[in-house]
Amino acid sequence: MTIEQARARDAADPLRHLRDRFVLPEGVIYLDGNSLGALPRATIDAGRDMIEHQWGERLIRSWTEGWMASPARIGGKIARWIGAAPEEVIAADSVSVNLFKFIVAALRHDPARRVVLSEAGNFPTDLHIAEGAVACVPGASLRVVERDALGDALDGDVALLLLSHVHYKTAERFDMGAWTRRAHYAGALVCWDLSHSVGAIPVDLAAAGADCAVGCGYKFLNGGPGAPAFLYVAHRHQAAWGNPLSGWMGHAEPFAFADAYAPGAGMERWRSGTPSMLAMGALEAALDAMADVDPAALEAKSAALFDMFAEAGDALGLECIVPRKADARGSHIAFRHPQAEAVMRQLIAQGVIGDFRTPDVLRFGLTPAYTGFEDIARATQMLGALLAPADCTAGPASV
Ligand SMILES: *Cc1c(COP(=O)(O)O)cnc(C)c1O
């Protein structure tokens, strides 16, 4: 596809106007929104209001004027992205910390089951936290197997199946409904990590019958570096499950200053300590900036961006490691290449920002809200120019 053809596709893109809602620096093609989402313009004013007005002028009064309620309010705004009811979601802490809460909670919930099952090659923190969490629960252990062995490993000892909905490297997507049913049939609970899906592809936790989920605020939700993460617990489990990090902010009455812990109602109990309000404010502004956007429209655009990139990758002779079927993947594309690290370094030097992932993966995030077809055309042209001298099978750049 020529640059002119790509421009014509951008002009016809019904989501094109969303790009103006983001700060995208001149001379940069940003294909890393799955690691750190771009800055929404609205966040700049919201941040100023948060600092100058809410903190600077209202001071401690802001806690009762909106801050205390903000984790649940923000959770309610995330709910539409994940097929949850507003009161099933709360913003708090990081994905890592929230994973710890759910792993320990699930092990305590059914003392007859002692195993946490996850996938080899899952995002490192998911496995690291699971390792640390099972060490805190007597008799518990972590079982990590390859994806094709998960079914056999899902036996009567498994308390919790812990899976990332979309894989951070290969973008492979689990069939959430099918795997949730499988886990339930085996008597296990499922925790879905939505970090690489929320905000880019539709997620329907209710339809899947999911038990609990966590997700990231700073990737496709554009909440800012280190944005608060979120937790989801299905209504049916909310009364029975407890947060092992039972801090005062999750107490039924934090300002009663009681010695004994009493869990808050609903999702409130999943809070631990005082939330970072500057970060909460940035996340909320980012969610508000996307409040009118239909997740299904984002998925369609993501698929079109992917197809264009994949076609160019094929022409360059690159080995794509992402499933071609749209409903079997997330919203990035990745290729295996022996010089992946050097290639990505050069691309970044030329203003095309993607990621290198060990040992040999070139990864490009496709953020449907602000990535354009011209971005893909230009990025793949530059990629082709970089690869051409070393790889004579690919021929000249063909985009
Ligand atoms: C990005 C990501 C995380 C991030 O965890 P943090 O605690 O925010 O550092 C966790 N899990 C997955 C699958 C991710 O993609």
Side-chain angles (χ1 to χ4, degrees), residues 12-19 293-294 297-299 301 368-370:
D13 171 12
L15 298 183
R16 185 64 180 172
H17 62 288
L18 297 180
R19 188 178 172 96
V293 177
D294 175 8
L298 289 181
E299 185 185 40
K301 165 106 179 269
Y370 53 77

Side-chain angles (χ1 to χ4, degrees), residues 34-35 93-99 122-126 129 163-168 193-197 214-219 226-229 363:
N34 53 338
S35 265
D93 301 307
S94 62
V95 176
S96 301
V97 170
N98 293 333
L99 285 166
N122 195 353
F123 191 81
T125 211
D126 297 58
I129 290 287
L163 295 176
S164 292
H165 184 214
V166 169
H167 194 274
Y168 77 100
D193 185 334
L194 306 175
S195 294
H196 269 275
S197 33
V214 297
C216 187
Y218 54 79
K219 291 172 178 160
R363 192 185 75 165

Side-chain angles (χ1 to χ4, degrees), residues 75-84 86 89 203 287 290-295:
K77 293 178 180 184
I78 293 170
R80 65 182 289 269
W81 292 99
I82 59 175
V89 189
V203 177
L287 289 164
M290 294 287 284
D292 60 342
V293 177
D294 175 8

Side-chain angles (χ1 to χ4, degrees), residues 19-395:
R19 188 178 172 96
D20 298 331
R21 298 183 188 176
F22 293 87
V23 175
L24 296 167
E26 251 341 279
V28 166
I29 296 175
Y30 193 60
L31 300 174
D32 212 358
N34 53 338
S35 265
L36 175 62
L39 169 64
R41 291 189 189 283
T43 302
I44 299 170
D45 284 340
R48 189 170 293 126
D49 179 74
M50 175 62 80
I51 291 172
E52 290 181 355
H53 177 69
Q54 297 182 47
W55 176 14
E57 300 201 11
R58 299 308 296 162
L59 289 162
I60 194 81
R61 294 169 287 187
S62 278
W63 282 109
T64 50
E65 290 169 359
W67 287 358
M68 268 308 271
S70 81
R73 188 175 68 240
I74 292 170
K77 293 178 180 184
I78 293 170
R80 65 182 289 269
W81 292 99
I82 59 175
E87 65 281 3
E88 289 176 311
V89 189
I90 197 158
D93 301 307
S94 62
V95 176
S96 301
V97 170
N98 293 333
L99 285 166
F100 181 89
K101 295 172 188 170
F102 280 153
I103 294 166
V104 173
L107 287 164
R108 287 187 177 162
H109 183 67
D110 184 354
R113 291 169 175 259
R114 297 291 76 192
V115 171
V116 174
L117 174 62
S118 194
E119 182 194 8
N122 195 353
F123 191 81
T125 211
D126 297 58
L127 299 179
H128 300 338
I129 290 287
E131 199 180 310
V134 299
C136 296
V137 180
S141 65
L142 173 63
R143 184 184 293 165
V144 178
V145 302
E146 297 295 332
R147 183 168 294 212
D148 59 8
L150 280 170
D152 288 339
L154 194 51
D155 61 21
D157 295 330
V158 176
L160 181 72
L161 174 62
L162 172 64
L163 295 176
S164 292
H165 184 214
V166 169
H167 194 274
Y168 77 100
K169 213 184 283 190
T170 64
E172 287 169 292
R173 187 196 313 187
F174 278 104
D175 181 334
M176 184 181 278
W179 278 95
T180 301
R181 279 191 299 279
R182 264 178 111 154
H184 289 173
Y185 186 74
L189 300 163
V190 194
C191 178
W192 290 102
D193 185 334
L194 306 175
S195 294
H196 269 275
S197 33
V198 63
I201 58 168
V203 177
D204 197 338
L205 291 166
D211 300 296
C212 61
V214 297
C216 187
Y218 54 79
K219 291 172 178 160
F220 292 114
L221 291 183
N222 311 305
F230 62 86
L231 310 97
Y232 158 92
V233 179
H235 278 133
R236 64 185 184 280
H237 294 308
Q238 285 186 3
W241 288 18
N243 179 359
L245 297 179
S246 44
W248 75 304
M249 281 281 151
H251 192 281
E253 289 182 89
F255 294 99
F257 296 102
D259 284 351
Y261 178 75
M267 292 304 291
E268 288 292 327
R269 69 184 56 179
W270 296 97
R271 301 172 65 165
S272 292
T274 307
S276 165
M277 284 313 307
L278 302 187
M280 286 279 174
L283 175 58
E284 187 162 21
L287 289 164
D288 289 344
M290 294 287 284
D292 60 342
V293 177
D294 175 8
L298 289 181
E299 185 185 40
K301 165 106 179 269
S302 164
L305 293 167
F306 180 95
D307 289 344
M308 185 176 164
F309 208 134
E311 215 168 279
D314 288 345
L316 293 170
L318 281 168
E319 182 195 350
C320 182
I321 59 169
V322 175
R324 293 297 174 109
K325 231 171 126 269
D327 65 358
R329 63 170 193 251
S331 197
H332 65 265
I333 191 162
F335 304 96
R336 197 169 279 136
H337 190 279
Q339 277 95 46
E341 191 166 17
V343 169
M344 187 52 75
R345 205 180 312 117
Q346 290 185 59
L347 271 180
I348 292 171
Q350 293 177 25
V352 178
I353 303 182
D355 273 314
F356 163 70
R357 285 290 177 266
T358 59
D360 57 359
V361 173
L362 293 162
R363 192 185 75 165
F364 302 94
L366 308 169
T367 308
Y370 53 77
T371 306
F373 294 97
E374 185 179 344
D375 293 329
I376 305 300
R378 290 194 183 280
T380 51
Q381 255 180 20
M382 288 196 214
L383 184 57
L386 275 176
L387 297 179
D391 183 358
C392 37
T393 58

